[in-house]
Amino acid sequence: MQIKKAEFICSNTRVDKLPEGKLPEYAFIGRSNVGKSSLINAMVGKKGLAKTSQKPGKTQLINHFIINDDWFLVDLPGYGFAKTSKSNREAWEKFIRRYLTHRDNLQCIFVLIDSRHEPQKIDLEFCYWLGERGLPFMLVFTKADKQSNVKSDVNMSKFRKALAEWFEEIPKCFLTSAEVKSGCDAILETIGDINTRFVMPDLTAPSDEVGYEEGDEDKYGDVDPDRYRHAGEEE
């Protein structure tokens, strides 16, 4: 797939305020400091589209981009470490779960894993959570340029083995590097293939309430869309 156009659309924490779900959508999420924003920029060939930072856990909103006027790419907050209060972390987790379970046009969740490390409990637990809810996901192992291919393959194999204890079928895996842009074409090819089978959901059908619950406003605080321009993750 050739990326001809990539634009930022909006940022928020309200699932009921997201762009209308007429296009296929793909979410990217991972542990803080996994290099998610850098990989997104490498994929679309537009440096600075997803803002990066040396401080992990800076992405704090659901960030929507439209690609080729044909599909949505969503940059989600990282799970795990973040320099914020416990109540804020719980609020982020709450709206992320709400997004993942209520977004009807969401076609696949790309879970980013740092290929330099052996399987981490927090990554495995998130995959189990997705599997229990029947949410489609694939694994994207990042930072392959930081070590030998042999080491990356060993860690990927260990992760797949850990998942095999819970899953009958292991999700598709990609080994990537934002630095040299390896693996990006394979992800885009997969997205392009899924796009050909996309059927727009019935947007007129009644849906569950997915807005704020009482008291959530105090947890989230005021959401300024321009805050995204100063958010991101490690490059």
Side-chain angles (χ1 to χ4, degrees):
M1 177 193 299
Q2 183 179 0
I3 304 300
K4 299 179 180 179
K5 186 177 181 182
E7 295 181 338
F8 170 73
I9 299 297
C10 65
S11 295
N12 61 63
T13 59
R14 293 283 299 267
V15 176
D16 57 334
K17 299 296 184 181
L18 298 180
E20 193 171 21
K22 292 183 177 181
L23 298 175
E25 187 160 300
Y26 303 87
F28 287 73
I29 189 170
R31 183 161 46 90
S32 295
N33 209 31
V34 76
K36 172 169 51 66
S37 297
S38 294
L39 182 66
I40 289 173
N41 291 337
M43 281 177 49
V44 302
K46 191 172 183 179
K47 186 176 182 180
L49 181 70
K51 296 301 178 181
T52 61
S53 169
Q54 293 300 318
K55 295 181 179 180
K58 293 294 288 183
T59 302
Q60 301 176 11
L61 303 170
I62 301 173
N63 304 300
H64 266 76
F65 305 89
I66 188 167
I67 311 299
N68 290 346
D69 292 326
D70 191 42
W71 53 279
F72 290 122
L73 185 157
V74 180
D75 182 7
L76 292 175
Y79 50 82
F81 172 84
K83 288 186 176 180
T84 187
S85 66
K86 180 180 178 181
S87 61
N88 275 345
R89 286 198 301 271
E90 291 175 346
W92 296 346
E93 292 171 359
K94 189 174 184 179
F95 76 71
I96 292 170
R97 288 195 299 267
R98 189 175 296 149
Y99 163 77
L100 293 174
T101 56
H102 288 84
R103 189 66 168 166
D104 291 339
N105 63 321
L106 181 60
Q107 300 300 292
C108 185
I109 302 154
F110 290 94
V111 181
L112 275 62
I113 310 293
D114 192 329
S115 68
R116 299 173 299 175
H117 305 305
E118 294 191 356
Q120 302 292 303
K121 181 180 179 182
I122 190 171
D123 293 322
L124 292 170
E125 287 180 344
F126 183 69
C127 290
Y128 298 154
W129 184 88
L130 294 174
E132 287 175 348
R133 286 152 184 80
L135 297 172
F137 72 96
M138 298 182 188
L139 302 174
V140 178
F141 291 86
T142 64
K143 304 186 180 183
D145 60 290
K146 306 299 183 183
Q147 62 184 1
S148 69
N149 288 337
V150 172
K151 180 63 175 177
S152 295
D153 289 342
V154 168
N155 287 337
M156 289 174 63
S157 178
K158 289 181 178 179
F159 199 94
R160 288 194 294 264
K161 184 177 180 180
L163 286 185
E165 297 180 8
W166 292 83
F167 292 86
E168 293 183 0
E169 183 177 349
I170 303 302
K172 187 172 183 177
C173 300
F174 303 89
L175 180 61
T176 69
S177 165
E179 185 69 24
V180 300
K181 298 185 178 180
S182 61
C184 294
D185 287 344
I187 295 174
L188 291 173
E189 182 179 346
T190 297
I191 290 174
D193 181 58
I194 297 174
N195 284 348
T196 63
R197 303 191 298 273
F198 174 70
V199 177
M200 187 174 70
D202 183 1
L203 302 178
T204 64
S207 60
D208 295 334
E209 174 60 43
V210 294
Y212 281 131
E213 294 180 7
E214 185 177 357
D216 279 354
E217 291 85 348
D218 294 334
K219 295 179 182 178
Y220 293 120
D222 295 330
V223 176
D224 177 6
D226 290 335
R227 282 174 55 195
Y228 177 71
R229 292 308 176 187
H230 305 285
E233 292 183 349
E234 179 193 26
E235 293 190 61

